[in-house]
Amino acid sequence: MFFPTQFPWAKDQSLGEHLEASGVSRRDFLEFCGQMAVLLGLTEMAAPRVAAALEGVKRPVVIWIQLQECTGCVESILRSADPSIGELILNIVSLDYSHTLMAASGTAAEAALASSMKANMGEYLLVVTGSVPLAEGGIYTTMGGRTAKDVLVEAAAGAKAVFAVGACAHWGSVQAAKPNPTGAVGVAEIIKDKPIVHLTGCPPIAETITATFVHYLTFGALPELDSDGRPLFAYGARIHDQCPRRANFDAGQYVEVFDDDAARKGWCLYKVGCKGPATFSPCPIFMWNMKTSWPIGAGHPCIGCTERNFWDTMTPFYNRLPNVAGLGIEQTADTIGAALAAGALAGVAAHAAATTVHQIRSHRKAAAAEGAHDGQD
Amino acid sequence: MTVPTPRHGPAPPPMADSPLFPLGARFAPPSGNYRWVEPWGAPLRVMHWVAALAILVLIVTGFYIGRPYFMTTGAPPQYLMGYIRLIHYVAAGVFVMTGLVRVYWLFAGNQFERLPALFPIRKRDWVNLVTQVKYYLMIHPERAPHYIGHNPLQQLSYTTTYVVSIVVMFTGFAMYGQAAPGGFFYTITQPLTLAVGGIQVVRLVHHLCVWWFIIFPIMHIYLVIRKEVTERGGGLSGIINGGHYIRADKQYVDE
Ligand code: SF4
Ligand code: SF4
């Protein structure tokens, strides 16, 4: 449904038949399977098995709902990898419903959603992008007059598994940043009784999503997840531990400002606020836009967009540490600490002076008392 | 387990009492009516100084890691940040060990070193806390409550230091563990990391804690020296040789 294709994947066709019909060569398909196996952390030896499993797969029913969001995640997916494989992916993910991409609109679109959900009850895969606003009864996002929460709950009821795609679906993203005026939350806050995989990032890399689909189709299950619900094959290691600039970090070589000599040499971006040390993401490996580049590769520090609360905790984006909140004016930990330490030093000095004065006085008093005593003798 | 009681009594025979650090015992008693007490056991003293050194190393290397204030300029292979992080982690390990010694000594130490001595638990301690504060504020600079061990204000500030130490260690481990998800340090720290809002919050807390280790020693060292100057009992050397002199004509709250 993404691109109107000449060879739509028919309902009961297996993927193998479908690919053959669409003229995808076996070689390309195996290459794709090999890439996916590697992304998933399997060995390339697993590629034939992935291929065998995928070939037999019947067309899955995928329903994609978009809640409170910017459509950036959909954009990211549309730009996945090179055209032949992209087409393949898009054909795998033949969508029964996606209100941005489908031709139908209005009542017709809603009818398509309802009928697809009914026909495939308990079988379909639900993809969700966007957060769920809960404030004031959820009025901040409505579709066809129904709140995002209602749409989500209804769609999830018949889903076999849920792909929560993007930072919005993960924890709310920018609209959930303080003070979160719409009360935005992630999918997992609402849907508790379905397997959910979080493909987080703002937006996530398309290949992450593709590989998770492939895993799901191949093994019939979601991949192994980390403590925040993200698939380990993609989010299992920090940017910082996979970064090509890590040698410069370890050597003590840092960019100080964006146009200095160090920046031209491609040194580490730590001092201009890189959040790579706090961020689990496959960016350095998968990269973006058909492996063209990625933020740090292009000389910009990582902003930590795959981590929960990153709009609050990873900002200021060009400083390493968040400001200390709640002091009226925003202050860094070090300014506050240095001010307190200076205060302590000043206090100690003043106290020492007062003590000295007191000591001198009491010595004088004692001496005077002694003198008076002497006088009496 | 029997509680080893601290010695106190007349001036010790020189040298014999502190086999570990005989230095202090060489000091002659100050003139006047003083007697000798030995409140601090050897493990506590060793722990104190090892921890002090470790903290100093941790602060210097930690500030570099937080904001690398000098750089190498030549081509790799260089490893400045790598070595500084290594030193930081080794010092952190030493610091944790001192913590373990302290925990052991909370149960094996004498009455001034054991767990109850960490907190002003009795009513009289709270009364004395106020007196102590007034004393330091020079509201009544002549009247301080007398303790052989720690006075309530010391209890509070030292116990705070222990608490901050635990926080700084835990947050340190949380950041350390990030490099190896699923590993030991990651597993024990991750639930709390997520609960407080993520690793950046942990990092901020770690940085804020460090300032306690800068501000506390300023006051600590000042007050210890001040006490030494005003009371002349050798309390300063007590943390080296274990004992010091106290005025024999006073009543001691915790005796
Ligand atoms: S996660 Fe980011 S890119 Fe995706 S919909 Fe939300 S705001 Fe847009
Ligand atoms: S650029 Fe960022 S992620 Fe890469 S080594 Fe430097 S701090 Fe780490």
Side-chain angles (χ1 to χ4, degrees):
Chain A
M1 190 166 291
F2 282 99
F3 304 122
T5 151
Q6 277 173 282
F7 309 99
W9 187 359
K11 227 260 136 104
D12 291 313
Q13 218 178 10
S14 75
L15 180 60
E17 291 158 7
H18 167 58
L19 291 176
E20 211 180 302
S22 9
V24 173
S25 76
R26 174 115 191 118
R27 192 192 168 88
D28 282 349
F29 176 63
L30 285 178
E31 195 185 313
F32 169 77
C33 291
Q35 281 182 8
M36 288 298 132
V38 170
L39 288 191
L40 287 170
L42 312 168
T43 62
E44 260 192 88
M45 309 268 281
R49 287 169 60 196
V50 171
L54 277 186
E55 267 173 334
V57 161
K58 293 270 179 324
R59 175 160 104 71
V61 179
V62 178
I63 290 174
W64 186 316
I65 57 171
Q66 293 172 257
L67 308 175
Q68 188 185 33
E69 54 130 18
C70 78
T71 319
C73 287
V74 179
E75 287 289 329
S76 174
I77 302 212
L78 288 177
R79 272 135 197 77
S80 87
D82 66 84
S84 66
I85 291 174
E87 176 133 349
L88 181 79
I89 295 155
L90 299 176
N91 282 321
I92 291 175
V93 188
S94 293
L95 299 176
D96 283 47
Y97 175 84
S98 162
H99 66 221
T100 302
L101 301 166
M102 68 200 303
S105 66
T107 322
E110 297 310 312
L113 174 61
S115 73
S116 174
M117 285 195 315
K118 210 165 150 202
N120 302 290
M121 199 68 186
E123 289 305 318
Y124 59 87
L125 196 62
L126 179 67
V127 180
V128 185
T129 52
S131 62
V132 187
L134 295 180
E136 293 171 60
I139 55 162
Y140 290 100
T141 301
T142 57
M143 280 150 283
R146 297 165 62 219
T147 64
K149 186 183 171 190
D150 287 350
V151 172
L152 173 64
V153 168
E154 190 196 38
K160 203 166 173 192
V162 181
F163 280 34
V165 172
C168 292
H170 184 205
W171 57 274
S173 196
V174 67
Q175 55 275 28
K178 280 184 197 118
N180 193 357
T182 63
V185 298
V187 170
E189 295 285 309
I190 309 288
I191 306 303
K192 307 270 188 199
D193 56 350
K194 297 282 167 178
I196 302 180
V197 57
H198 292 100
L199 301 161
T200 193
C202 190
I205 306 173
E207 279 76 359
T208 318
I209 305 167
T210 320
T212 308
F213 272 122
V214 167
H215 188 287
Y216 183 76
L217 296 177
T218 309
F219 300 105
L222 297 179
E224 205 187 333
L225 305 180
D226 75 357
S227 55
D228 208 11
R230 306 173 292 188
L232 275 172
F233 76 84
Y235 300 90
R238 284 187 305 179
I239 299 262
H240 189 56
D241 295 322
Q242 319 168 72
C243 179
R245 300 190 183 210
R246 180 60 185 264
N248 300 104
F249 173 86
D250 285 334
Q253 300 174 327
Y254 306 99
V255 173
E256 303 260 21
V257 284
F258 282 110
D259 56 355
D260 66 2
D261 198 38
R264 277 186 284 279
K265 284 181 181 150
W267 285 1
C268 168
L269 298 158
Y270 189 73
K271 288 182 86 171
V272 285
C274 184
K275 303 301 186 305
T279 306
F280 289 81
S281 172
C283 291
I285 311 298
F286 293 13
M287 303 209 279
W288 290 82
N289 303 325
M290 305 169 204
K291 283 201 188 289
T292 309
S293 187
W294 64 297
I296 290 174
H300 191 278
C302 167
I303 63 167
C305 78
T306 56
E307 294 298 320
R308 200 174 269 276
N309 304 326
F310 79 94
W311 295 102
D312 292 323
T313 62
M314 303 282 180
T315 47
F317 285 140
Y318 300 105
N319 286 343
R320 285 279 306 135
L321 277 183
N323 286 326
V324 180
L327 291 173
I329 35 167
E330 306 218 302
Q331 288 292 358
T332 66
D334 287 351
T335 329
I336 294 167
L340 288 176
L345 267 181
V348 159
H351 200 264
T355 305
T356 314
V357 171
H358 175 73
Q359 287 282 95
I360 292 171
R361 259 200 220 141
S362 48
H363 279 166
R364 276 212 197 118
K365 234 188 257 169
E370 203 142 294
H373 188 69
D374 286 349
Q376 276 175 3
D377 274 347
Chain B
M1 200 193 325
T2 56
V3 182
T5 43
R7 284 176 28 103
H8 33 79
M15 312 290 291
D17 286 276
S18 301
L20 194 60
F21 293 114
L23 185 70
R26 289 205 191 114
F27 295 137
S31 58
N33 192 10
Y34 282 87
R35 64 192 172 93
W36 177 256
V37 288
E38 246 177 41
W40 312 127
L44 189 90
R45 285 175 272 144
V46 173
M47 172 249 145
H48 174 274
W49 290 109
V50 174
L53 190 69
I55 288 171
L56 188 66
V57 172
L58 284 165
I59 289 176
V60 172
T61 52
F63 270 104
Y64 182 81
I65 296 167
R67 182 173 306 175
Y69 39 76
F70 50 85
M71 298 207 249
T72 59
T73 47
Q78 307 206 31
Y79 203 57
L80 178 63
M81 177 59 101
Y83 287 129
I84 287 181
R85 289 171 73 229
L86 180 66
I87 296 169
H88 193 77
Y89 297 152
V90 170
V94 170
F95 186 40
V96 171
M97 291 306 152
T98 65
L100 294 181
V101 169
R102 187 66 189 96
V103 169
Y104 166 67
W105 209 238
L106 282 178
F107 301 97
N110 66 38
Q111 68 182 94
F112 304 118
E113 303 161 333
R114 291 168 83 82
L115 190 58
L118 252 46
F119 308 98
I121 32 180
R122 306 210 189 109
K123 189 164 162 261
R124 63 157 205 233
D125 292 327
W126 289 101
V127 175
N128 287 336
L129 181 64
V130 177
T131 324
Q132 187 73 41
V133 170
K134 284 187 179 162
Y135 165 77
Y136 279 140
L137 291 179
M138 305 227 176
I139 294 169
H140 47 62
E142 310 295 348
R143 189 153 53 85
H146 296 288
Y147 282 78
I148 295 175
H150 291 146
N151 70 48
L153 201 58
Q154 284 174 308
Q155 287 176 336
L156 282 186
S157 60
Y158 298 178
T159 305
T160 303
T161 304
Y162 292 143
V163 172
V164 176
S165 299
I166 292 169
V167 175
V168 94
M169 286 173 195
F170 199 82
T171 51
F173 282 141
M175 289 190 280
Y176 183 72
Q178 295 289 302
F184 174 73
F185 290 116
Y186 180 88
T187 312
I188 58 167
T189 56
Q190 192 63 9
L192 208 69
T193 301
L194 288 179
V196 299
I199 199 70
Q200 283 295 95
V201 179
V202 169
R203 188 166 267 120
L204 180 63
V205 171
H206 195 75
H207 278 243
L208 287 172
C209 285
V210 172
W211 285 99
W212 175 260
F213 289 103
I214 293 169
I215 292 162
F216 168 73
I218 293 174
M219 302 193 285
H220 175 57
I221 294 167
Y222 165 68
L223 288 176
V224 168
I225 292 176
R226 180 183 188 276
K227 185 165 183 185
E228 185 63 38
V229 169
T230 55
E231 293 179 19
R232 297 166 193 280
L236 191 52
S237 61
I239 196 63
I240 297 172
N241 66 14
H244 61 101
Y245 292 97
I246 56 172
R247 298 279 296 268
D249 55 351
K250 306 267 195 231
Q251 285 291 320
Y252 291 89
V253 183
D254 55 346
E255 192 150 20

